[in-house]
Amino acid sequence: MLHTLAVADLILLYNSILETSLVPIKSQWECAVEPWLVLKGAVFMPFFYKKTYRSNSMVRSIWTIGMSLIFVLVSLLLGFVISWMNKDVKQRYKCGRGAAFSVSYASFIYITNIFGYAVGLFFNCIAYFRVACCSKLQE
C-alpha cells in the first residue's frame, strides 16, 4: 500500500512538471508530513506471535513489543524534530526519506533496518537448527 501511495505521488509530481514545465520546490517539513512518507519513514516495529510453554514468555513478548514501540516513537520524533529544525531548507524534485528527514537520518533508518534483518535472520537460523536437532532426536 505504501508503494502505491508513493507511486501515486510520483505520478502527480510528473503530471505537474509536464503541465507547468516547472519543478516544484518543497520544504523539508512539507515533505515530512506527506502521509505516505510518514508511514514509510517509520521504522516499523516487529509484531510477532510467540508460542512457548515457559511461564515468562508473555512478559518477554510484552517487553519486546514495548521496547520496539518506544524505539519507533523516539525515532519518529527525532526525524520530525530534524525536519522541523530544517523546515526552511528547500527540496527539489521528489520527497523521500533523505529529503524529508535529512540524509543522516535516512542512513540511520537504513542501518537500523539492515541490523534488524540480520538479527532476525540470526535468531531464525538458531530456531531452525534447534528444531532440526530436536526432530532428529525424536525420530
Side-chain angles (χ1 to χ4, degrees), residues 35-76:
W36 69 271
L37 193 60
V38 169
L39 296 173
K40 190 176 180 181
V43 181
F44 290 101
M45 65 183 135
F47 283 108
F48 52 87
Y49 178 76
K50 182 178 179 183
K51 183 176 180 180
T52 183
Y53 296 103
R54 294 183 186 163
S55 62
N56 63 351
S57 65
M58 181 60 110
V59 172
R60 224 178 325 153
S61 295
I62 291 172
W63 185 84
T64 302
I65 291 171
M67 291 305 291
S68 297
L69 183 62
I70 289 170
F71 179 76
V72 168
L73 293 175
V74 168
S75 296
L76 278 174

Side-chain angles (χ1 to χ4, degrees), residues 4-130:
T4 304
L5 292 173
V7 169
D9 186 60
L10 283 176
I11 290 171
L12 291 173
L13 172 70
Y14 294 143
N15 284 339
S16 171
I17 292 171
L18 288 173
E19 290 173 4
T20 62
S21 298
L22 297 172
V23 176
I25 297 175
K26 296 181 179 182
S27 70
Q28 266 189 300
W29 182 250
E30 290 171 325
C31 287
V33 295
E34 288 189 12
W36 69 271
L37 193 60
V38 169
L39 296 173
K40 190 176 180 181
V43 181
F44 290 101
M45 65 183 135
F47 283 108
F48 52 87
Y49 178 76
K50 182 178 179 183
K51 183 176 180 180
T52 183
Y53 296 103
R54 294 183 186 163
S55 62
N56 63 351
S57 65
M58 181 60 110
V59 172
R60 224 178 325 153
S61 295
I62 291 172
W63 185 84
T64 302
I65 291 171
M67 291 305 291
S68 297
L69 183 62
I70 289 170
F71 179 76
V72 168
L73 293 175
V74 168
S75 296
L76 278 174
L77 181 65
L78 177 65
F80 281 115
V81 166
I82 291 170
S83 182
W84 180 256
M85 288 176 15
N86 297 319
K87 65 182 176 185
D88 296 329
V89 176
K90 300 296 181 190
Q91 302 296 324
R92 291 188 58 186
Y93 200 57
K94 71 178 190 104
C95 293
R97 286 185 236 185
F101 300 111
S102 81
V103 174
S104 58
Y105 180 80
S107 298
F108 163 73
I109 294 297
Y110 296 136
I111 289 168
T112 301
N113 285 339
I114 291 168
F115 179 74
Y117 285 124
V119 169
L121 176 65
F122 175 73
F123 284 127
N124 280 320
C125 289
I126 289 173
Y128 171 77
F129 288 119
R130 281 188 72 183

